[in-house]
Amino acid sequence: MNKNNFHKYFLLYFILFGIIISSLGAVISYEFQMNEVHQDTQKKALETFDVKTNIVLKPALENMDNIVKALGLNKTVQNCMRTYDTSYKKELEQIFLAIATSQKNIMQARILNRDGKEIIRVDRMNEHSAPFIVEKSKLQDKSNRDYFQIVSKMKSQNIWHSKLDLNIENGNVEIPYRPTIRIALPLFNEKNFAGMVIINLLTNDLFTSLKTSTMFDIYIIDKENNYILHPNDAFSFNKYKKIQRALYEDFSDNSKSNEVFTYSIKHILNNADNATMILKTKEDYKSNLIQEKIHTMSIVFLLTIFLSFFIAIVIAKKPKELQVALVNAHKKLREFAEIIDKYVITATTKTDTTIVDISSAFASTSGYTKEELIGKQMNTVYSKEQDKALFNDLWNTVSRGKTWNGILLNEKKDGTNFWLEQHIIPKMSANNQIESYMAVGIDISAKVELEKLASYDKLTNIFNRRMIDEFMTVQLESHIRHAQKLSIIMIDIDHFKLVNDTYGHQIGDMVLAESTKIISSSLRKSDIFGRYGGEEFIIICSQTSQEDAFTLAEKLRLNIEKYNFQTVGKKTISLGVASMQENDIPESLIKKADEALYSAKNQGRNRTIIF
């Protein structure tokens, strides 16, 4: 074999090798792509379910729940249920008419008395018609209806949801069909059942929103496998229409290529249906997705073969790396496509801080469920590390009917802390009395953590000079506002330069760190300790007289004097004490403490001097 033939065979070998590797890569790529199609479909199904439940279904039901609660708490409704005085009827009719007018999906809004007879009824023909008050002669006796039998036996004032069904009038399913759900609240006169508020909610628009999807056919079935929602409207509510429709007709073995995902929605649709939502990929969606993946894979495959004729050896050696690079690049693109949701955090409390309602964002942020927090005191989520003076300022402000703005440290259910920028707003009654508080917050935990990193000295892990200057300003304002005592202590490690010169800066840093720990262990919770520069430290002693500050300073001095430092042995500190006087500003107070420290050093060091 001559050189030219060897070169040709060698080149041909690597071209063939490149084609084989490319083909193998295409097969592996196909498996990756098919797995990715499955994962993408599964992710899309979960996202679709989340949108349909948390953005469409849940808010619609919560809105109606709140309307029923509001009607149940209405004083005119309560007075009517207590006295059954017909003089309230006109006012009640206007209230219910206004509610129905404001919500186009309310089909009926009624009050039933304890005997099941309608007292007030507002009707609407469809979502596009105006509501109207039903005349007295057409009011009906609903005592035999299942919802009255259930709600009248309830022992507490809880919201009740009916099954999702078709509206029934005079014992017959109404045609044209009107899908509905009833939401009711029992009313009590003292402890006795006095009647109920009930709203029939038209669900045509709601169902249209639920089943609209470009990717999935969406079904909802009850616990008996009857269809509540079907892509073909003819089979929706088949039980009530007396139409037989078995599940296997929609989910047969022939439809295995159309992946099916099931999710329970009974935690949102809290009724006897125990409903399940089923998402089945549409015939053309997955096919198009697969074709798109195959098309992309084919282009890559053909390009790889084409390039193998020119760079066969390189491509032959690198197919695996190329495949990994492609997968990683695709993963990065997906990561960049993710969105971090932001939430509005709210809570409503009684005047004694008992929680009556929280937002889903509050629950998500705190780690508690709504049920775990409602009825509890607001301090359930307050951190025990929170400054009590801040709470005193908060309640002094809101108890006077004014809005309080500030930052609160809270504790999650798992014990970790989170920070909220809070706006606490008193809600006033008609006679100008505080009846509740509304708290609106923004989670600033990440911001606080960043600020914390910028606020502490890296070596000693105590406050840096910037933070000490800020604390001095705050403490001075508190001193002026509340006429409180305020003292500071300036500290300097004696002959510290000699430590650095003799043992090096690493040992010097160790002395600084050990000194910080000794001083910190002797301070009170109210004392603010920081590094002011080099070997110089400062302690802000709020509500502390000059004499008490001197006592503390001497305690710190003796603790350092007794301590045996590694490598350097014994060390001492000098301290200067100064107290806030009239007309002092932060700079002047620090200057006085510094002068006292300078005097201590001039008088032989290892001593405390008061300015």
Side-chain angles (χ1 to χ4, degrees), residues 351-389:
T351 53
D352 64 353
T353 78
T354 300
I355 299 171
V356 296
D357 193 23
I358 63 170
S359 66
S360 297
F362 192 109
S364 175
T365 302
S366 66
Y368 290 94
T369 63
K370 287 189 176 184
E371 291 74 17
E372 288 174 323
L373 286 181
I374 292 176
K376 300 290 181 64
Q377 297 291 310
M378 196 66 185
N379 60 15
T380 302
V381 297
Y382 288 156
S383 172
K384 298 176 181 62
E385 301 173 17
Q386 185 68 262
D387 186 0
K388 291 182 179 179

Side-chain angles (χ1 to χ4, degrees), residues 118 128 411 494:
E118 294 176 337
H128 308 294
E411 187 175 287
D494 296 332

